[in-house]
Amino acid sequence: MCFYSILMSSNNLVNITMEEKENPNSIKLPDTLEVFRNLKNAKQFAIDIGGSLTKIAYYSTVSFRRVYYATDNIDKNDEKNKDDKHDKFVYTYSEQARLHFVKFETKYIENCLDFIGDNLVNSDERKGKSIKATGGGAYKYSKLIQDKLGLKVDKEDELTCLITGCNFLLKNISDEAFVYNRNGSPEYEFQTADPHVFPYMLVNIGSGVSILKVESDSCYERIGGTATGGGTFWGLGTLLTKAKTFEELLDLAEKGDHRKADMLVKDIYGGDYETLGMHSDLIASSFGKICPRQNAESDYNEADLARSLLFAISNDIGQIACLYAMMHNLKKVYFGGYFLRNRSLSMHTISFSIKFWSRGTVQSLFLRHEGYLGAIGAFLKGTEECGNSIYNSNSDKFSWLENYAGSGSNRTQLTFGKRVDQLELDRWESPLTFCPLLKDPSSYIPDTVDLNSDKEAREYWLNCFEESIENYVNYAVASQPTSDTAEERAALFKEKFISRVQLLKIKPFAYGNLTVRGLLDTINQCLKEFDFPDPYLTQKQTENEYALRCLQERLEELDSLDLKERQKELIMGVLAGNTFDWGAKETVALMKTGEFDFKQARNRIPARPWLIDSLDNWVQKICNEPYKKIAIFIDNSGIDIVLGILPLAREMLRQGSRVILCANSAPALNDVTHSELVVLLRQAAAICPIISKGLDEGKLKSMETAQGGPCLDLSRLERELANELTTVDLIILEGMGRAVHTNIDAEFVCDSFKMAIIKNRWLAKRLGGDMFSVVCKYESVDVTK
């Protein structure tokens, strides 16, 4: 599961068949510099220079390897190949597009430009080329940029860049936006992907405030603003306090008590003003307590004044924004700009103001990466003018995904002693879209549990992943036995992931929604970064070959049953097969004994009724009315796919259904990838005539999902698959990752069947069951209406 971005355009691939033992020297230690990574491959730059913060954007290409078992490419009539086939693999080298966004204090701009200039190659090629620049500092520092980098500065409109950057993030990062509740649980409520981005209002709070109405990528206008903004707060703050910098003033406000300076409703009326619905703690007059006491001994301090000032300006901004939103009938208002800086007090005040004045009809939203909007917009402006498809950011051609391994709150120190933050996005080489079978895509949540809000679950899963990381390390090293760098790279992988876990224990919202899905994605992205493309490859190969030897016997056993009993046993087989999961600690212990087989797994299925038990409804339906077209999102290699899913697909083919098997695009644990599934189906076809006929007639097909993890996000599917799903009348989700961790509550416009064995003791108990509890959830649209 190296996340989605491991699969690249076929134009950029080089396939080499070789033995693992002949390729140890091709594996190099990665560049451990966290920021300005891959700078030597940088091909295009943009910069957003503000008064206090500067953001640099650049594009690079990153080389990654893919590896998979090459049985399908081996001549089985060749005696030598028969002996050597266990050592044969195919390595695919891919050039992947990556966007880098680096943020640092503007006062260190000269140091950063020196660092970039010293690390760039081919300086002669940069002569005569330009760098897109936006922000007020684009004028002040244009000569410095030209002197340091040899690039002409091409200035872009700041507000246009902000809107372009905002649109890009909202379309590409599913949990980019959040609602802030200072005293809530969770404090941050991240919004799920929404297929309907427009219209919205963007309020940019810089020195002043600009309010923009955005109706599409190309249609937007400035509808208002106010001169009372961040500059006002800073200017008046330096007059009222000894604070000199913006950050010092914000820190001071956090410590203050505004009630010592502000006059509240209760100070005038003694309590609530019930007639007007005004709570006693509402501010009636900012700084209202100051004047009457000008000749008395003061009981307020600078921190109280700073907080009162922050509230006064924030409340006014919120009220003005709310009025514009209501005037233009806009329900979503996004706030950005240096005034916020993701500071809790500023966000809280604005949120409260919006909620109060709109009576809850307007939603105030903030952005995780709001500081990068201008840099992203400037960069994208450059790509439009470039005209080269390799840079093209058009959402109709590509999708972009956050690279957790190289992004976020992990701050890294550069050679000149200062720390910087960064965001990295990887390009997926085709557009991703929502599953068309979702009943309401705008309300779809691809995670069952929000670990930000569930403290018990958060503590359990973070500790669980931290304790289990050694298993990943062991498999990673074992997958490259002849590499002299494998152990060192695996140690770096472990160090990086553990540092992420430690951060998430302190700041669970650091990377947006904290979920089991996100933690698994992070593990696999880190494995990819340290050149472990598929640690479980050999294990999957061995299990596939064993299961294929058992397939004929299993099919004969099923064919001996009558129709009704066969349907029950087919589901039992899927559940038994799903037990074989190398991501489940207790199941792994059973499998490592070498004595745990399909029949034992079948016997371990608990007696009915199960934790969720719709088996009888399923059998009644499938015996009376076969489906026309079925999509099955599959899980594990080996026994799971071969002895569990393939017999079920075969039965549906025999009933006249068309079947799509939907598999991961990239490796994750022992999950089946699409490239492996293609091989498995051909091997199964040699055993079963029904499967062979289904493949030949196109009634059985495999498709890739654009997923790279054990969990399933139905808001980001390969568009080709999504188009195929429009005519499906039954969707089957198999496995804990696809049917429990993510989609147990998902609603569809067609019939759905979710199946899994709960292989985690804590989770089973949480759901009210025991280890190996069964989820067998069949829902018919006729029943749920």
Side-chain angles (χ1 to χ4, degrees):
M1 176 182 73
C2 303
F3 212 46
Y4 310 105
S5 50
I6 193 170
L7 190 65
M8 299 302 299
S9 169
S10 58
N11 294 330
N12 295 326
L13 301 182
V14 180
N15 294 330
I16 305 172
T17 303
M18 61 182 74
E19 295 185 12
E20 169 65 22
K21 63 184 180 182
E22 293 177 357
N23 193 37
N25 295 327
S26 69
I27 305 173
K28 299 178 181 179
L29 288 173
D31 184 358
T32 56
L33 183 67
E34 291 284 346
V35 292
F36 290 113
R37 294 202 303 168
N38 211 38
L39 192 57
K40 289 179 170 55
N41 290 333
K43 294 178 173 59
Q44 183 177 346
F45 281 87
I47 190 167
D48 175 14
I49 310 175
S52 57
L53 294 175
T54 292
K55 287 74 65 176
I56 288 181
Y58 65 96
Y59 165 92
S60 75
T61 54
V62 185
S63 180
F64 287 105
R65 300 192 310 161
R66 295 182 66 215
V67 57
Y68 54 92
Y69 181 45
T71 299
D72 203 45
N73 295 335
I74 296 175
D75 183 358
K76 298 177 178 59
N77 296 320
D78 187 308
E79 290 299 321
K80 182 179 184 304
N81 278 333
K82 286 182 180 180
D83 295 334
D84 292 348
K85 72 174 184 176
H86 291 280
D87 296 324
K88 298 289 184 178
F89 299 94
V90 168
Y91 285 85
T92 302
Y93 293 84
S94 303
E95 289 296 319
Q96 175 185 326
R98 176 171 289 175
L99 294 181
H100 308 256
F101 302 95
V102 184
K103 179 169 60 178
F104 54 88
E105 291 183 74
T106 299
K107 61 185 176 181
Y108 302 121
I109 187 171
E110 188 167 355
N111 302 94
C112 281
L113 291 175
D114 282 336
F115 182 86
I116 294 171
D118 291 343
N119 285 274
L120 282 176
V121 295
N122 300 322
S123 57
D124 291 338
E125 294 183 8
R126 301 199 303 274
K127 291 181 180 179
K129 295 186 177 179
S130 64
I131 178 173
K132 290 291 182 183
T134 189
Y139 298 88
K140 181 178 179 180
Y141 294 101
S142 60
K143 187 176 186 304
L144 179 67
I145 295 170
Q146 188 166 348
D147 292 343
K148 296 290 185 182
L149 300 182
L151 295 169
K152 177 184 175 183
V153 176
D154 189 1
K155 304 175 184 67
E156 292 294 334
D157 177 71
E158 185 174 4
L159 292 182
T160 299
C161 289
L162 287 171
I163 293 169
T164 302
C166 187
N167 292 343
F168 180 83
L169 287 176
L170 291 175
K171 290 179 181 180
N172 285 281
I173 300 183
S174 59
D175 54 350
E176 174 63 27
F178 62 90
V179 174
Y180 183 72
N181 300 299
R182 185 175 170 88
N183 300 312
S185 181
E187 192 175 0
Y188 293 78
E189 292 181 24
F190 292 96
Q191 305 299 289
T192 56
D194 189 340
H196 310 295
V197 172
F198 307 108
Y200 68 84
M201 195 168 83
L202 176 62
V203 180
N204 187 60
I205 312 173
S207 298
V209 180
S210 286
I211 299 176
L212 304 112
K213 178 182 179 181
V214 185
E215 297 184 274
S216 70
D217 285 311
S218 58
C219 182
Y220 49 86
E221 63 175 319
R222 187 182 188 277
I223 56 176
T226 173
T228 306
T232 313
F233 173 66
W234 195 353
L236 289 177
T238 57
L239 294 175
L240 293 171
T241 73
K242 294 183 179 66
K244 297 303 178 186
T245 70
F246 195 82
E247 293 294 337
E248 287 176 0
L249 197 56
L250 286 173
D251 289 338
L252 198 60
E254 285 282 356
K255 302 171 185 175
D257 183 353
H258 78 102
R259 294 170 297 182
K260 294 181 179 180
D262 292 341
M263 185 176 293
L264 309 182
V265 169
K266 66 183 177 184
D267 295 321
I268 302 174
Y269 299 104
D272 297 341
Y273 194 150
E274 296 181 359
T275 305
L276 298 180
M278 297 172 69
H279 191 272
S280 62
D281 287 328
L282 283 177
I283 298 173
S285 174
S286 295
F287 297 99
K289 289 182 179 177
I290 303 298
C291 292
R293 302 182 182 185
Q294 58 186 349
N295 297 319
E297 184 177 350
S298 301
D299 60 356
Y300 56 83
N301 57 34
E302 288 190 349
D304 303 332
L305 296 178
R307 194 178 186 96
S308 177
L309 179 61
L310 179 70
F311 279 9
I313 292 173
S314 298
N315 279 323
D316 279 354
I317 292 172
Q319 182 178 12
I320 292 169
C322 178
L323 292 173
Y324 273 108
M326 297 174 72
M327 184 189 307
H328 291 269
N329 196 30
L330 297 170
K331 303 300 182 185
K332 295 183 294 185
V333 181
Y334 295 97
F335 289 88
Y338 85 87
F339 177 74
L340 294 174
R341 306 278 184 88
N342 280 331
R343 287 277 190 154
S344 61
L345 190 57
S346 302
M347 294 188 295
H348 165 71
T349 311
I350 287 175
S351 296
F352 177 85
S353 180
I354 290 283
K355 186 175 182 179
F356 177 83
W357 290 109
S358 73
R359 292 183 170 85
T361 61
V362 177
Q363 188 176 38
S364 55
L365 295 156
F366 305 92
L367 302 169
R368 278 204 297 138
H369 302 109
E370 60 87 17
Y372 295 108
L373 298 186
I376 293 173
F379 179 86
L380 296 180
K381 181 67 175 177
T383 68
E384 293 173 7
E385 296 178 3
C386 177
N388 189 331
S389 62
I390 197 169
Y391 299 109
N392 199 313
S393 61
N394 191 324
S395 60
D396 291 333
K397 293 185 178 180
F398 307 116
S399 287
W400 295 83
L401 306 125
E402 185 172 5
N403 182 338
Y404 296 122
S407 297
S409 301
N410 189 33
R411 300 163 65 98
T412 304
Q413 187 164 310
L414 288 178
T415 54
F416 54 85
K418 302 304 174 185
R419 295 181 180 273
V420 297
D421 290 328
Q422 75 171 7
L423 165 67
E424 287 186 352
L425 302 175
D426 289 336
R427 190 173 76 187
W428 177 252
E429 294 301 299
S430 60
L432 304 180
T433 188
F434 280 78
C435 174
L437 302 177
L438 289 169
K439 186 176 181 180
D440 181 11
S442 62
S443 65
Y444 169 69
I445 300 175
D447 302 288
T448 302
V449 179
D450 178 2
L451 302 185
N452 281 331
S453 61
D454 192 327
K455 183 179 179 181
E456 179 191 358
R458 178 171 72 246
E459 291 176 350
Y460 171 78
W461 285 113
L462 287 175
N463 289 330
C464 180
F465 277 103
E466 187 173 8
E467 293 167 2
S468 66
I469 201 64
E470 200 64 42
N471 288 331
Y472 288 88
V473 170
N474 293 337
Y475 272 95
V477 173
S479 70
Q480 298 174 1
T482 58
S483 169
D484 56 6
T485 64
E487 290 188 5
E488 188 172 356
R489 284 182 288 113
L492 290 170
F493 151 72
K494 177 181 177 181
E495 179 184 356
K496 187 162 194 174
F497 181 73
I498 293 297
S499 72
R500 289 289 195 270
V501 172
Q502 295 302 323
L503 174 64
L504 290 169
K505 287 182 177 181
I506 301 170
K507 296 175 62 178
F509 47 82
Y511 297 95
N513 275 325
L514 179 57
T515 62
V516 173
R517 174 174 60 90
L519 289 167
L520 287 165
D521 286 344
T522 302
I523 286 178
N524 286 278
Q525 284 190 353
C526 290
L527 283 169
K528 175 184 174 181
E529 291 292 323
F530 291 101
D531 200 15
F532 293 108
D534 192 352
Y536 288 83
L537 179 65
T538 303
Q539 185 68 43
K540 290 188 288 184
Q541 167 197 336
T542 301
E543 293 181 5
N544 286 341
E545 292 176 352
Y546 167 77
L548 285 165
R549 290 196 296 270
C550 302
L551 180 59
Q552 184 63 50
E553 180 182 349
R554 175 61 177 166
L555 295 179
E556 291 174 357
E557 176 184 321
L558 289 166
D559 288 346
S560 68
L561 303 175
D562 64 35
L563 179 62
K564 185 175 181 180
E565 287 303 312
R566 187 164 67 248
Q567 307 313 312
K568 290 183 180 180
E569 183 56 32
L570 282 163
I571 301 307
M572 290 290 198
V574 171
L575 295 170
N578 191 242
T579 305
F580 293 83
D581 185 348
W582 287 90
K585 182 178 178 181
E586 296 195 40
T587 307
V588 169
L590 288 172
M591 292 191 289
K592 282 185 175 180
T593 65
E595 299 175 356
F596 187 65
D597 58 16
F598 179 76
K599 290 183 179 179
Q600 288 183 321
R602 168 70 177 78
N603 293 334
R604 275 184 177 269
I605 297 174
R608 298 177 64 197
W610 295 325
L611 185 64
I612 301 178
D613 193 341
S614 306
L615 181 60
D616 293 338
N617 292 339
W618 163 257
V619 171
Q620 180 180 359
K621 169 70 175 181
I622 200 67
C623 287
N624 294 324
E625 186 181 355
Y627 289 93
K628 295 178 181 178
K629 189 175 181 181
I630 302 160
I632 307 176
F633 286 80
I634 61 176
D635 194 357
N636 304 305
S637 296
I639 290 175
D640 192 351
I641 177 67
V642 176
L643 301 184
I645 293 296
L646 288 185
L648 179 64
R650 171 182 179 263
E651 177 72 12
M652 292 171 172
L653 288 170
R654 190 154 59 177
Q655 293 181 3
S657 304
R658 305 178 73 88
V659 180
I660 308 170
L661 297 180
C662 310
N664 276 10
S665 296
L669 293 169
N670 64 318
D671 288 9
V672 185
T673 63
H674 176 255
S675 61
E676 293 164 0
L677 180 60
V678 171
V679 175
L680 274 174
L681 288 177
R682 291 175 184 169
Q683 293 171 325
I687 298 170
C688 174
I690 297 175
I691 292 176
S692 178
K693 182 180 179 183
L695 288 174
D696 291 341
E697 296 179 351
K699 293 183 178 180
L700 174 63
K701 61 192 302 184
S702 60
M703 299 191 74
E704 59 179 306
T705 60
Q707 305 284 297
C711 296
L712 176 61
D713 182 355
L714 291 172
S715 71
R716 301 186 75 84
L717 289 184
E718 184 78 41
R719 181 167 292 181
E720 183 180 354
L721 172 60
N723 291 338
E724 191 74 38
L725 292 177
T726 57
T727 52
V728 160
D729 53 352
L730 172 67
I731 181 172
I732 297 178
L733 307 177
E734 183 225 359
M736 280 177 57
R738 293 160 183 81
V740 178
H741 285 311
T742 50
N743 293 294
I744 191 67
D745 298 318
E747 296 183 325
F748 300 95
V749 296
C750 66
D751 290 4
S752 62
F753 199 0
K754 303 161 187 175
M755 291 182 280
I757 290 285
I758 306 299
K759 301 173 286 287
N760 178 283
R761 194 172 295 277
W762 179 89
L763 180 59
K765 184 178 179 181
R766 189 52 130 50
L767 295 174
D770 297 318
M771 186 66 174
F772 298 114
S773 288
V774 171
V775 169
C776 180
K777 188 177 184 180
Y778 169 69
E779 294 176 298
S780 171
V781 291
D782 296 331
V783 174
T784 56
K785 283 182 179 179

